Every structure is written in C-alpha cells, then in structure tokens.
Amino acid sequence: MKFVDEFRSEKQASILAEKIKQATKHPWRIMEVCGGQTHTIMQYGLPDLLPKVIELLHGPGCPVCVTGLEVIDKAIAIAGSEDVIFCSYGDMLRVPGSKADLFDVKAAGGDVRIVYSPLDCLKIAMDNPQKRTVFFAIGFETTAPANAMAVKQAKRMNLDNFFLLVSHVTVPPVIRGLMDFPDNRVQGFLGPGHVCSVMGWHPYEELSEKYKIPIVVTGFEPIDILEGILRVVLQLEAGESFVENQYSRAVTKAGNAAAQAILEEVFEVCDQNWRGLGSIPKSGYRLSPAYAAHDADLVFSTTAEPVVESKVCISGDILKGVKKPKDCPAFGTQCTPEKPLGATMVSSEGTCAAYFRYGRLEILTN
Ligand code: SF4
C-alpha cells in the first residue's frame, strides 16, 4: 500500500475484521500505547468491528495527559514572570494547573506564545535578547530529539536567554510500570509506532520476554490498528509472545541513530512523575549538567505548593486500563473538552476526549 486512502479502505478493514474474528477463540485485553492510536480507534469505530470478547484498553501515550500537575504549575509560575516569553505547543495552554492554566496567564498579560517547533522559540529568543525565552519541552521520545537540537543550537550560539522546561517521558519504563501494577489487565500491546521510529523496536524485546506478552509495533491508520490487533491475537491464541513490527514503512529495529545520539548527548535519564500513575523509575529525560545554564527548572526558582487533583477524576485508572471513561461520574457532565477536570479530557489525544468526541451518545445510553 502506498497512499493513505488505502490504509483507510473499508474493504480491507472488513477482511481484517473477519480474520480477527476467525482467529479469536478466547477473550483478550489489548492495550494501544499511543494517544494517536486511541484517537483512530474511536474515530473509525474499530471496537464495533471486533469480536465482543476483545477489549481494547487505552494506554498512557498522550504526552499532554501524563505531564505532572506540579510541572504545569511550574510552567504557569514561570510564564507569569515579567521578563519571560513562554512558548508551548497549543494543547498545553488549556491544561488546568492547580489554580489556573496558561491561557489565564496570557489573559492576565503574560507573554505566552503558541509555537509549532522549538526552533520557532529559538528565533524568538534571538529576536528578544532583553527577555528570557522558555520552551515547554514535553512529550515522548518522538518530540525529544527536536528539543535536544534546539538547546544544542542555543548553546552553540551562546544564546543565554533560551531555556527548556523539560518534562519528557519514555515508553518502555511505563510499559514495565503497567505490567508491574498489581491490578494489571493488559495481555498484549499495540506498540508505539512514532516512538519506535526514533528509538527502534529492539528495546521492547526485553519487555516482551520478561512479561511473556506480545508487543506489535503498530501505525496510526485504521488498517494499521486492525492488522496490529490481528497479529497480537494470533500470538495470544498460539501462546506466543514476541515483538513484531507492523509499522515497517516507518520503523526499523535499530531506529534513528542520529536522533538517539543527540538524545544521549543532551539529556540524562531520570525518574519521572506521570500524572495519574505516579513516579516511575528511569522513565523521563532531564537536561544533562552540560546544559544546566539552559535548564528552566534550575534557573527559575518557583515555590511549589502541594498539588491537588480533582477528587472525582479517575484518569489514573483509565491510563492503566483498569477503567473506561464511562465509569467516571463526571464524564460528559461536569467534565467536557470545554471544561476539563482531568488531563485525559484536555488533549484531543486523551482517552476521555476521544470517547467524548466519537462515542459519547453510545456511552451515555449504554
Ligand atoms: S471524564 Fe474528566 S474527570 Fe472523568 S476521568 Fe476523564 S478527565 Fe477525569
């Protein structure tokens, strides 16, 4: 297949759905890791094509959703400083902190700007030498290389008014964390296609072997997802567990060596707090000491107040695959994309937002 239409073909989807039906002899629970995959699953109604005994669980692969509340609060505090231009991707501006969001800072006169790349932010720093320019560097291994490039470039140019506020997370440790949760329900994974295009799929072999779990690295179109599910089901039914690469048009076993090299140069691995999941050892990146002068976390002293999550929000259990949005009493009532209570409703990649957008009527009437 060459064109995107072919990855959305109804005929091909029916063929794959029939193959999944034929292959399925037992109930199975399969988790897609990426928020983009969750979005596709809901947008194209893929659960309706599957045997009822296959349950899709929606994992923690939305970077906006898993960024810790304390980091959002820190971003808001920094953005409110008079001499700061605070730059971020658009989604993050709507994420509610403990008391406000970045849009509130902007409305109050703060210089908060939406950018499409950290390099845009670098240009802003060059054009505004009297200001300190901070980029909110969040996301998985997919966004980290571009952020690493930007800060490396800033260092090379002696651009001492450019900073990163870093809250990067990495996928293999969170898969380990999910499998180690006592209430884990996952029996097979659709692996994260974008992340593997950078890091390769070899880091998942160890996980598949340790937990005896199929991991199929999968793309983001409906045909990709159905093929990924089929491959996971075939392994589960055969009692097998290994890593397969469905997304071979973008992913190799080794990944992108240049991207990995710059990650290693600029960042170091650290423990990370995942919103809804808690602290997971060695699951994040922070700037290495060589880049300390550009580290907003070190340069800006903000007073951290204890963070309080919404009592009603069950997004942690949703990210673990233990519950679904329909189990939340606030879904679609107190909590909507316009007025989100929790992070999984904020981002369009968040599970609650995907259910609200594509499956709301069905969910509310079931
Ligand atoms: S619907 Fe809102 S409150 Fe409920 S789990 Fe989702 S984000 Fe949290």
Side-chain angles (χ1 to χ4, degrees), residues 310 312-315 318 325 328 330-332 335 341-345 352:
S310 158
V312 76
C313 181
I314 58 163
S315 58
I318 292 172
C328 174
F331 178 82
C335 183
L341 284 182
T344 46
M345 188 61 98
C352 295

Side-chain angles (χ1 to χ4, degrees), residues 220-277:
F220 296 83
E221 295 298 333
I223 298 304
D224 291 323
I225 307 264
L226 289 170
E227 194 186 341
I229 292 169
L230 175 62
R231 292 192 190 199
V232 170
V233 168
L234 288 170
Q235 284 196 44
L236 287 167
E237 291 289 351
E240 294 175 330
S241 51
F242 53 92
V243 181
E244 280 187 77
N245 182 14
Q246 182 279 332
Y247 202 31
S248 56
R249 65 187 186 278
V251 171
T252 61
K253 183 169 184 177
N256 183 325
Q260 291 166 29
I262 193 159
L263 290 179
E264 193 152 329
E265 179 190 330
V266 171
F267 294 121
E268 61 183 22
V269 172
C270 61
D271 296 348
Q272 187 64 278
N273 186 40
W274 293 60
R275 193 170 186 180
L277 298 177

Side-chain angles (χ1 to χ4, degrees), residues 1 4-18 44 46 49 222-223 226:
M1 290 196 281
V4 75
D5 288 5
E6 300 168 55
F7 291 94
R8 297 174 185 173
S9 151
E10 210 177 309
K11 186 172 165 212
Q12 194 60 25
S14 304
I15 292 169
L16 284 165
E18 184 56 32
Y44 290 91
L46 300 189
L49 300 180
I223 298 304
L226 289 170

